[in-house]
Amino acid sequence: MVEDVLTAVIAAGCAGLVYAAGAARVVKQYERGVVLRLGRFAGAVRSPGFTMIVPFVDRLYKVNMQIVTLPIPAQEGITRDNVTVRVDAVVYFKVVDAANAVIQVEDYRFAVSQMAQTSLRSIIGKSDLDDLLSNREKLNQGLELMIDSPAIGWGVQIDRVEIKDVSLPDTMKRSMARQAEADRERRARIINADAELQASKKLAEAAQQMEDTPAALQLRLLQTVTAVATEKNSTLVLPFPVELLRFLEKAQQPGPAAPPPAAPAPAPEPPKPLANGSQPFTPAHPVAEAASVTPVRAAADAAALQAESEGEGGPVSRAPEPEARAASEPAGPEQQRSER
């Protein structure tokens, strides 16, 4: 009898141990337990620590309450200014209601991932390329609101959304590089022009000061020569006065144009023979035209004729007039016949 009692006690103890082993559960600190008894939610969510369930009747689901980092695959889309880009992002979320995370959605991780991808495509189509590159904080806030709205009913809270990378086509990268280079060059030219303006003002003040004291220009010249000589160069550069250059330029300018040479006088025609066959008297020195003979020229010609006649030994005898020559010449046969 006693043996039967002991056997029953041992059997009950073993059954109790098996039941306890099947019913005992441990919920970690970062987890919450959701118990479904015969398929229905049983009471409150189990807190961290040791807990018991009914074996073969209750089923315990552990939900992680930590912040989950979920990467969003790169999504390709067209921006509002018709530029094709690929954008990937990262979503940080956590479960705030373990019961809804188990009951309201089948797989809250997969649901959040798909919602993040669709929201990212939508935000790409509504934004410009400049916003994606420079105004990411505003886009992150808009993307967070788009994902968080449906996730509230799933017991999930979106903590943060960050756009990680924006991939551009190679042609767009080259265009943006040229734009940035042109902008840098424009800024460099503006800075250089501003520096030239300030330097010109200072140079004008220095020139005014040197004009008041001419010795300052000579001192400046000596300083320049000293600075060049210290470099041990074989070539010495000295400033050249601008006034001297202007003087040389005026000296090289051509004078007034000379009048064109007069046309040569026509050659005199040879004298025609007279009726009796004799040649007319031709002076040794042709008489110049009255318009072209000046008193000085006439006096010089007369002196030359006189000197020539005296050199020959007697005064110059003019040739007889045509009538006198005709009278002095012997009469021809026809004239003799008429006289007879």
Side-chain angles (χ1 to χ4, degrees):
M1 185 69 181
V2 176
E3 294 178 355
D4 294 337
V5 173
L6 291 175
T7 303
V9 171
I10 293 172
C14 291
L17 291 176
V18 172
Y19 179 81
R25 294 288 187 274
V26 176
V27 180
K28 298 180 181 179
Q29 181 65 36
Y30 56 85
E31 293 177 341
R32 298 294 183 271
V34 178
V35 178
L36 297 180
R37 181 169 296 167
L38 297 178
R40 299 182 63 181
F41 177 63
V45 178
R46 304 295 176 89
S47 59
F50 181 79
T51 184
M52 298 290 291
I53 63 173
V54 179
F56 308 107
V57 177
D58 295 342
R59 188 167 183 177
L60 179 66
Y61 293 93
K62 298 178 181 180
V63 180
N64 191 345
M65 305 297 289
Q66 293 176 320
I67 295 177
V68 181
T69 302
L70 181 64
I72 303 176
Q75 303 297 314
E76 185 173 356
I78 301 176
T79 60
R80 191 166 57 181
D81 51 355
N82 299 325
V83 179
T84 303
V85 295
R86 290 177 61 87
V87 182
D88 55 353
V90 181
V91 179
Y92 302 90
F93 69 94
K94 64 180 179 179
V95 178
V96 294
D97 192 346
N100 288 337
V102 174
I103 298 172
Q104 299 296 333
V105 63
E106 180 182 1
D107 187 355
Y108 65 89
R109 287 176 176 267
F110 182 74
V112 171
S113 175
Q114 295 299 315
M115 179 58 65
Q117 293 182 26
T118 55
S119 300
L120 183 58
R121 285 179 175 270
S122 178
I123 207 72
I124 290 173
K126 294 178 181 178
S127 305
D128 295 332
L129 179 61
D130 295 338
D131 295 336
L132 288 175
L133 296 177
S134 60
N135 196 12
R136 293 189 179 183
E137 294 182 357
K138 183 179 180 180
L139 297 180
N140 293 338
Q141 294 176 1
L143 190 59
E144 179 181 348
L145 292 176
M146 293 178 67
I147 301 174
D148 192 41
S149 298
I152 293 177
W154 304 339
V156 178
Q157 179 182 356
I158 304 299
D159 188 65
R160 192 172 185 179
V161 181
E162 292 287 343
I163 295 177
K164 186 167 59 175
D165 188 20
V166 178
S167 300
L168 300 175
D170 294 337
T171 56
M172 182 58 63
K173 290 181 180 179
R174 289 193 293 268
S175 300
M176 294 177 65
R178 290 195 299 268
Q179 179 183 0
E181 183 179 359
D183 184 67
R184 290 288 181 181
E185 185 177 358
R186 177 184 62 84
R187 292 167 60 183
R189 289 185 177 180
I190 292 175
I191 294 173
N192 190 16
D194 191 12
E196 291 291 340
L197 178 60
Q198 295 179 6
S200 63
K201 291 181 179 178
K202 295 298 181 181
L203 288 175
E205 294 178 2
Q208 185 65 31
Q209 186 68 25
M210 289 183 180
E211 184 179 0
D212 297 338
T213 56
L217 183 61
Q218 186 67 21
L219 293 176
R220 182 58 181 168
L221 175 60
L222 295 177
Q223 290 178 359
T224 304
V225 173
T226 305
V228 174
T230 54
E231 298 180 0
K232 298 180 181 180
N233 294 330
S234 59
T235 304
L236 185 61
V237 179
L238 293 178
F240 200 73
V242 180
E243 290 77 8
L244 184 57
L245 293 177
R246 293 176 180 174
F247 175 75
L248 295 177
E249 182 180 359
K250 293 180 179 179
Q252 291 180 357
Q253 292 180 355
E269 297 181 358
K272 297 181 180 180
L274 299 176
N276 55 3
S278 61
Q279 297 292 333
F281 170 74
T282 304
H285 298 279
V287 181
E289 296 180 0
S292 62
V293 176
T294 59
V296 179
R297 178 70 177 275
D301 291 343
L305 289 175
Q306 184 177 0
E308 184 179 358
S309 62
E310 291 178 357
E312 290 179 357
V316 180
S317 59
R318 290 192 176 182
E321 296 297 329
E323 293 80 0
R325 291 182 60 185
S328 62
E329 289 181 357
E334 295 179 358
Q335 188 175 2
Q336 293 177 1
R337 290 177 184 178
S338 62
E339 288 178 359
R340 289 179 183 177

